Amino acid sequence: LCTVDVQEYAKINRADTIAVLVEQELYEQAFSIITQWGEEGTDDTVLMKLASRMIVSSDFQEDEELVYLADYVLHQGKYDETILSYLCRYYVGSVERMSYLWKKAKGFELKSYELDERILVFSMYVREFPDCGEKILKSYIMQQGKELVILAYLTYISCAYFMTDRQTAPEFFVYLEKTYERDWELDIICHLALLKYYSSCKRLNEKQEQHAEELLSEFDRKGLRFAFFQKLPLHLIQAYQVEDKVFVEERFSRGSKVIIHYALHHRGTEAVSFKSEPMRDVYQGIFTKEFLLFYDETLSYYLTVEKDGKIKTTPRRQMVLPGVDTGGRTRYKLLNQILAFKALGNQEAMETSVRQYLEQEAFAESAFQLMS
């Protein structure tokens, strides 16, 4: 075998020639046949042994053909620690294939710093989301990954979560929370995503409530108000007077001009005259408009959207109060209770609400006189 031209044998029976060469540990000759003629028809176990031995003999130096062979046997279900380590160091492919490699490497508890970084960076470039992205991010952070890459990936996922309501693993917000606590220079979309996540939590701990208070204060200074604020605990949002509002919140392309045409009327009646006002682009194409509705009032509205000289009109929609809070103590809630109890014919409950309203009015006038 050392003296004959094995390429002539490979022309006749490539698979058997490679198998014999590998069995005789003539890996260089076997590999040269594959690089010239390909691996088609060769037993996968033989190829795995060849790839592993060639990686060791080359002292893990990068070789494009060897990377291809290692990746091929991996996807045939044949691999060992050597092949996985080599691919973690050099393999570049689709996010899906690199994520598959990552899972196999973690099964062997291998270091994957280079692979982690490639997956995170490629995900952002091609706008894909690896199915184990939060675990890859954790692996990268645990291996002292670059702050720039970590911040970029946090921004990328935060944008997808906030702007498109993409489902995101809770573990991701643990990392987002930690970077916030460390006062890293996070993009505002990360802050918005974190607060939106808090609004979806059934219960916030003391530290999370502190974060939420800070974020609400930040957004209030910047004039950012969104409908999801209302899902936060009441004691956090009372100062910002959003719990009594209804939000019309729509998303359109950035640069659009959006006009809301609306009318307030009693439930069961038709809207007569509509008012028109521009809606403000609060953030990246999210347009909002707040309304204060009382019991038995209906908001009818439709939008006209202008973009690139084209105008489209949305269907007419309606909004009503979802319910009357019988436990509220604000002037607005007490007025709603009075209206609701009056409509229901509950005279006793209505008089109680009226009495509470008058008592609060008298107390407020007295308190302000004392302060002056």
Side-chain angles (χ1 to χ4, degrees), residues 193-205:
L194 184 58
L195 187 61
K196 183 179 178 180
Y197 169 70
Y198 286 155
S199 73
S200 69
C201 296
K202 292 183 178 179
R203 187 174 182 179
L204 300 178
N205 59 39

Side-chain angles (χ1 to χ4, degrees), residues 102 106 112-113 116-117 119-120 130 132-146 149-150 153-154 157 169-176 178-179 182:
W102 186 89
K106 287 304 171 183
S112 57
Y113 179 88
D116 293 348
E117 187 169 286
I119 294 173
L120 297 179
C132 50
E134 70 284 352
K135 295 178 181 177
I136 296 171
L137 178 62
K138 179 181 179 181
S139 171
Y140 188 64
I141 292 172
M142 295 297 289
Q143 295 176 88
Q144 304 299 313
K146 298 172 187 173
V149 175
I150 294 170
Y153 192 74
L154 289 173
I157 298 297
E171 291 83 357
F172 169 80
F173 297 100
V174 174
Y175 314 135
L176 190 58
K178 290 186 182 298
T179 54
R182 292 176 183 174

Side-chain angles (χ1 to χ4, degrees), residues 55-72:
I55 291 169
V56 173
S57 66
S58 68
D59 197 24
F60 278 78
Q61 294 300 308
E62 184 177 9
D63 182 289
E64 185 177 346
E65 295 289 349
L66 189 51
V67 171
Y68 170 81
L69 178 61
D71 177 59
Y72 174 81

Side-chain angles (χ1 to χ4, degrees), residues 195-258:
L195 187 61
K196 183 179 178 180
Y197 169 70
Y198 286 155
S199 73
S200 69
C201 296
K202 292 183 178 179
R203 187 174 182 179
L204 300 178
N205 59 39
E206 185 177 346
K207 186 177 289 186
Q208 289 173 329
E209 286 201 358
Q210 181 183 341
H211 296 162
E213 286 180 340
E214 294 169 355
L215 292 169
L216 281 167
S217 178
E218 174 191 349
F219 299 145
D220 183 61
R221 292 193 302 271
K222 295 178 177 178
L224 300 177
R225 291 161 66 93
F226 300 94
F228 73 86
F229 284 10
Q230 296 175 316
K231 298 179 182 178
L232 289 162
L234 183 60
H235 65 277
L236 295 178
I237 60 174
Q238 277 182 325
Y240 305 101
Q241 299 180 335
V242 296
E243 77 274 15
D244 295 335
K245 304 290 180 63
V246 293
F247 281 75
V248 175
E249 189 171 290
E250 301 287 346
R251 301 183 183 189
F252 299 102
S253 301
R254 292 181 62 185
S256 299
K257 293 181 180 179
V258 182

Side-chain angles (χ1 to χ4, degrees), residues 44-141:
D44 295 333
T45 304
V46 172
L47 293 175
M48 184 196 78
K49 182 178 179 181
L50 174 60
S52 184
R53 296 299 189 275
M54 285 297 297
I55 291 169
V56 173
S57 66
S58 68
D59 197 24
F60 278 78
Q61 294 300 308
E62 184 177 9
D63 182 289
E64 185 177 346
E65 295 289 349
L66 189 51
V67 171
Y68 170 81
L69 178 61
D71 177 59
Y72 174 81
V73 297
L74 169 65
H75 283 84
Q76 303 309 309
K78 303 292 183 180
Y79 52 88
D80 59 13
E81 186 173 331
T82 300
I83 289 173
L84 292 174
S85 297
Y86 187 73
L87 288 172
C88 283
R89 190 178 299 183
Y90 299 119
Y91 179 72
V92 178
S94 68
V95 171
E96 182 181 359
R97 288 179 78 96
M98 287 193 291
S99 298
Y100 176 81
L101 167 61
W102 186 89
K103 293 175 185 176
K104 298 302 180 184
K106 287 304 171 183
F108 280 76
E109 298 183 353
L110 298 176
K111 292 182 179 180
S112 57
Y113 179 88
E114 295 96 340
L115 181 61
D116 293 348
E117 187 169 286
R118 284 198 298 276
I119 294 173
L120 297 179
V121 172
F122 272 58
S123 296
M124 292 182 281
Y125 272 116
V126 301
R127 298 292 188 266
E128 286 192 27
F129 299 91
D131 58 357
C132 50
E134 70 284 352
K135 295 178 181 177
I136 296 171
L137 178 62
K138 179 181 179 181
S139 171
Y140 188 64
I141 292 172

